[in-house]
Amino acid sequence: MIHSARLSALTLAAGLLATPVMAQSVNLYTTREPGLLNPVLAAFTQDTGIKVNAVFLKDGLQERIKAEGANSPADVMLVVDVGEINAAVDAGITQPVKSAAVDKIVPAQLRGPDDNWITLTKRARIVIVSKDRVQQDAITYEDLADPKWQGKFCIRAGQHPYNNAFFAAYLARNGAEETEGYLKALKANTARKPGGGDRDVARDILSGQCDIALINTYYIGLMSQAKNEQKGWYDAIKPLKTGFANGGTHVNVSAAAIAKNAPNKDNAVKLIEYMLTPKAQELYGDGNFEFPVNAEVKESAAVKLLGAITPDKTPLTDIARNRKAAADLVDKVGFDN
């Protein structure tokens, strides 16, 4: 039986929760888009009988749970960036995910310290080029610094979390001095001031403003399905097989964690386990062209469109630890100016 004080706290704190917490329910806080996540949550409820009370937040997820304190109704956190989920661990608002099913599916490299977070899907950052003006099929991230691309390279802001994670990965592999030089070379190659969104770089390739750009793979998938001008952006680009020299493709993750004070911990584990099943991985990953973490999922939408990727082996925890240093270097070289 739920204590009345907790029930009151749930109602007041969550606000958006549609129903009171019951024995067969789980409360999810997430920064993912409702349209992407709701089909998976509906399937979970249908298959398990456990209702999901989802709170969709654009930002401030960590701060909200910290403010709610011991009475927080949050059971599961689901976010789209390794830095964000690792910061939740550092803030002390998570607890380990104890599950043999999770251990079997998710490699240790894709889990947080002491299993405090679990990767659900992978999001690769690759190079695209003009289909008409660039004739090559593969490239290394290091090649982006080649002066032959001077005035031809487009990228969103260096301080954006996607690029921050990429630069942190570069820093973890190569050290601060080489990363600073790399950032200066990239800056020298830019065709315009870094900014906009990932899909904007495809638009700028179509317009001829740039020939080469950095983009997250799922944007390519979404543009391929677009019913507006973005389909033209997609038709103008070609994705290249991309990786670090002597390494693989940089990936970020969508990840889940169990909140430290989860009132429905058992159901939280069940939800995370469910999101790793082939059925949920297909619904979840294919809806946004992300790469599945469950190896039993074959021919995902991302693989069909872009081919399989070989993720870089740099531990995600190392990338998370280097994010601030990478951000400092971006400012030091004036990358976004």
Side-chain angles (χ1 to χ4, degrees):
M1 181 176 180
I2 302 292
H3 191 282
S4 59
R6 176 176 291 281
L7 183 57
S8 297
L10 289 171
T11 304
L12 291 172
L16 295 179
L17 299 182
T19 62
V21 175
M22 300 177 289
Q24 289 301 308
S25 67
V26 60
N27 303 319
L28 170 69
Y29 283 22
T30 180
T31 54
R32 300 236 67 170
E33 294 291 332
L36 170 64
L37 206 52
N38 280 335
V40 184
L41 303 182
F44 172 72
T45 298
Q46 183 176 24
D47 291 349
T48 67
I50 300 171
K51 178 177 175 57
V52 181
N53 302 309
V55 178
F56 294 95
L57 301 164
K58 287 189 175 180
D59 49 40
L61 186 154
Q62 181 188 147
E63 291 76 11
R64 178 165 176 164
I65 292 177
K66 289 171 68 176
E68 291 169 345
N71 289 323
S72 173
D75 292 309
V76 177
M77 290 170 271
L78 202 168
V79 302
V80 294
D81 175 67
V82 66
E84 185 177 3
I85 199 70
N86 220 54
V89 176
D90 292 343
I93 59 172
T94 66
Q95 61 176 298
V97 180
K98 301 293 186 184
S99 165
V102 171
D103 293 348
K104 182 179 179 181
I105 294 171
V106 184
Q109 180 195 350
L110 297 177
R111 299 184 221 153
D114 299 322
D115 292 338
N116 267 265
W117 54 260
I118 302 297
T119 292
L120 298 179
T121 57
K122 294 173 286 188
R123 310 149 63 86
R125 194 148 185 79
I126 68 167
V127 174
I128 56 173
V129 296
S130 165
K131 184 183 296 182
D132 296 330
R133 300 187 296 275
V134 179
Q135 305 303 316
Q136 63 186 81
D137 297 318
I139 194 169
T140 68
Y141 295 114
E142 289 82 352
D143 288 341
L144 290 172
D146 192 313
K148 76 177 184 180
W149 301 117
Q150 189 170 12
K152 299 179 180 179
F153 175 56
C154 284
I155 185 172
R156 72 191 310 167
Q159 290 294 10
H160 188 276
Y162 300 161
N163 284 333
N164 178 234
F166 169 62
F167 294 145
Y170 194 97
L171 179 59
R173 293 175 59 88
N174 301 292
E177 184 176 355
E178 186 170 331
T179 303
E180 182 177 344
Y182 180 67
L183 288 168
K184 289 178 178 176
L186 287 188
K187 174 68 174 175
N189 284 345
T190 53
R192 58 166 170 74
K193 180 179 178 179
D198 269 18
R199 277 175 278 207
D200 292 340
V201 301
R203 177 201 62 197
D204 294 342
I205 285 177
L206 174 63
S207 73
Q209 187 172 19
C210 49
D211 286 348
I212 187 168
L214 205 56
I215 190 172
N216 275 358
T217 41
Y218 53 88
Y219 288 115
I220 300 173
L222 295 174
M223 288 190 293
S224 75
Q225 302 296 312
K227 304 298 183 184
N228 53 26
E229 74 277 7
Q230 292 184 20
K231 182 61 167 58
W233 305 352
Y234 168 78
D235 290 336
I237 64 171
K238 178 173 69 174
L240 302 186
K241 182 176 177 59
T242 308
F244 285 105
N246 302 316
T249 304
H250 168 65
V251 299
N252 206 328
V253 299
S254 69
I258 297 178
K260 180 180 178 180
N261 299 304
N264 305 290
K265 180 180 175 181
D266 290 345
N267 288 344
V269 173
K270 289 177 182 177
L271 177 58
I272 292 175
E273 290 175 338
Y274 186 84
M275 297 192 78
L276 293 168
T277 63
K279 177 180 180 179
Q281 289 269 287
E282 290 173 6
L283 284 170
Y284 184 48
D286 287 1
N288 202 40
F289 289 89
E290 296 177 39
F291 292 89
V293 70
N294 189 329
E296 294 183 6
V297 179
K298 298 178 180 178
E299 291 295 298
S300 69
V303 172
K304 288 177 182 175
L305 182 69
L306 302 162
I309 61 168
T310 302
D312 180 42
K313 294 186 181 301
T314 302
L316 292 170
T317 49
D318 286 357
I319 295 174
R321 276 196 293 269
N322 279 284
R323 291 183 71 117
K324 184 180 185 308
D328 290 344
L329 287 175
V330 166
D331 283 343
K332 184 179 180 180
V333 305
F335 192 85
D336 290 338
N337 297 337

